[in-house]
Amino acid sequence: MGNSLKAIVAFVPSNKCQKYLLEDLEEMPVDKMVDLSGMQLRRLPLHICSFRELVKLYLSDNNLNHLPPELEQLQNLQILALDFNNFKALPQVVCTLKQLCILYLGNNKLCSLPVELRLLQNLKTLWIESNCLQYLPEVVCELSLLKTLHAGSNALRTLPTQLRCLEELRTIWLSGNLLSEFPSVLLDMPFLEVIDVDRNSIRFFPSLAHLPGLKLVIYDHNPCRNAPKVAKGVRRVGRWSEETPEPRKRSGAVIEITLDDKPSPPPVTKPEPE
């Protein structure tokens, strides 16, 4: 089906047009997964909500800005992908899906998250990158099982102190924000394994050597004059990392040594629930 034809059909709400878009998807697939990514949908076909045993629903790269209340019927859903859509607010019905483990909300127009998000107490992975967040919603700090938080490419300047309550958090991605200082709350999170603050405005890095769980810190593309000190075996990605020394002082001047061939951060892929 051509993209132009799909775009036209997506505007038509009739059941016949929905069936055409879904290519005769009438029964729940054996693998309990429905992938409607890139279908140019402007609304979720209601009969998908009748697949009550559905575990994975991918709605990425569409034109959605709301979801029907019937979505609440999908109480077995573990993965929901809503990234690359037009959501200005997270639909409340998403917060009723209490078995969700992974929620993708990146590349939308979200400025906040509803307090009802706290109901998703099984959530382990939350992607909210590339939105319009000027602060990290405090409700995120109530997701006690959260292991991975991707909040890059927003407009964050600080992080809430309540973040330290997330003792299961292992990976936090904060690249492309407006941090002028390294978030002090991260210094109180010894369980963190990966910290990414690439592409911010941090000028000074405190020592991270006291964080016993740390395995990787990405701090490149900051106007910093020092590299964060880390414990032995921790990988650093940025200026003056393992491959090059930090700046040397000569007669009061700082000689800056840059790293031309920096190792690239590991690719970010959409994980499966544990």
Side-chain angles (χ1 to χ4, degrees):
M1 187 189 307
N3 286 337
S4 297
L5 180 57
K6 284 195 295 184
I8 294 172
V9 174
F11 273 106
V12 184
S14 72
N15 290 331
K16 185 176 180 179
C17 288
Q18 287 190 27
K19 183 177 179 180
Y20 182 57
L21 281 170
L22 299 179
E23 299 176 353
D24 297 322
L25 178 61
E26 296 180 347
E27 298 181 359
M28 188 182 72
V30 176
D31 60 4
K32 300 182 180 181
M33 178 185 76
V34 170
D35 188 351
L36 301 179
S37 301
M39 299 291 288
Q40 302 196 34
L41 297 174
R42 294 181 179 274
R43 69 186 187 94
L44 178 66
L46 285 181
H47 85 275
I48 296 298
C49 300
S50 68
F51 298 166
R52 294 176 182 250
E53 300 301 315
L54 200 65
V55 173
K56 306 173 186 177
L57 178 57
Y58 295 93
L59 300 173
S60 308
D61 193 19
N62 281 293
N63 295 304
L64 300 171
N65 57 27
H66 70 281
L67 294 172
E70 289 84 354
L71 189 72
E72 186 176 3
Q73 299 175 48
L74 303 183
Q75 285 301 312
N76 289 297
L77 207 61
Q78 296 181 26
I79 299 178
L80 178 59
L82 300 174
D83 47 328
F84 292 94
N85 276 284
N86 293 317
F87 291 103
K88 294 182 179 180
L90 180 65
Q92 294 282 343
V93 67
V94 173
C95 301
T96 69
L97 306 174
K98 297 183 180 180
Q99 296 304 313
L100 278 183
C101 296
I102 301 177
L103 179 58
Y104 298 106
L105 300 175
N107 290 273
N108 279 285
K109 302 173 183 177
L110 301 174
C111 295
S112 62
L113 293 173
V115 295
E116 289 82 3
L117 192 73
R118 63 165 65 102
L119 299 175
L120 303 183
Q121 284 300 308
N122 285 305
L123 205 62
K124 296 181 179 179
T125 298
L126 178 61
W127 289 49
I128 50 176
E129 79 286 0
S130 299
N131 276 286
C132 305
L133 298 170
Q134 296 185 17
Y135 61 92
L136 184 67
E138 292 185 3
V139 67
V140 172
C141 305
E142 299 184 48
L143 303 173
S144 59
L145 296 184
L146 200 65
K147 289 188 174 182
T148 300
L149 175 60
H150 195 324
S153 300
N154 280 286
L156 305 181
R157 296 180 182 274
T158 61
L159 295 180
T161 58
Q162 297 93 322
L163 195 68
R164 64 167 63 95
C165 298
L166 296 183
E167 296 185 358
E168 296 298 320
L169 194 65
R170 297 295 178 266
T171 302
I172 185 165
W173 306 89
L174 298 166
S175 61
N177 277 289
L178 300 176
L179 300 172
S180 59
E181 297 181 356
F182 185 83
S184 59
V185 65
L186 300 184
L187 302 176
D188 298 327
M189 302 176 70
F191 33 81
L192 284 175
E193 296 180 358
V194 176
I195 298 175
D196 178 10
V197 289
D198 183 31
R199 294 186 294 113
N200 277 278
S201 301
I202 301 173
R203 295 186 174 276
F204 174 78
F205 280 95
S207 173
L208 306 180
H210 67 289
L211 300 179
L214 195 61
K215 298 178 180 178
L216 170 66
V217 56
I218 305 171
Y219 64 96
D220 209 9
H221 304 101
N222 280 280
C224 55
R225 307 302 297 181
N226 73 308
K229 296 186 182 301
V230 294
K232 184 177 180 181
V234 178
R235 184 183 177 206
R236 298 185 299 180
V237 177
R239 293 191 297 173
W240 320 305
S241 60
E242 289 88 353
E243 291 79 5
T244 57
E246 292 191 35
R248 299 189 303 271
K249 288 186 178 181
R250 289 184 179 177
S251 303
V254 175
I255 308 299
E256 185 175 301
I257 303 175
T258 59
L259 177 62
D260 294 326
D261 299 318
K262 297 184 292 291
S264 299
V268 179
T269 57
K270 288 186 176 181
E272 296 291 322
E274 298 182 355

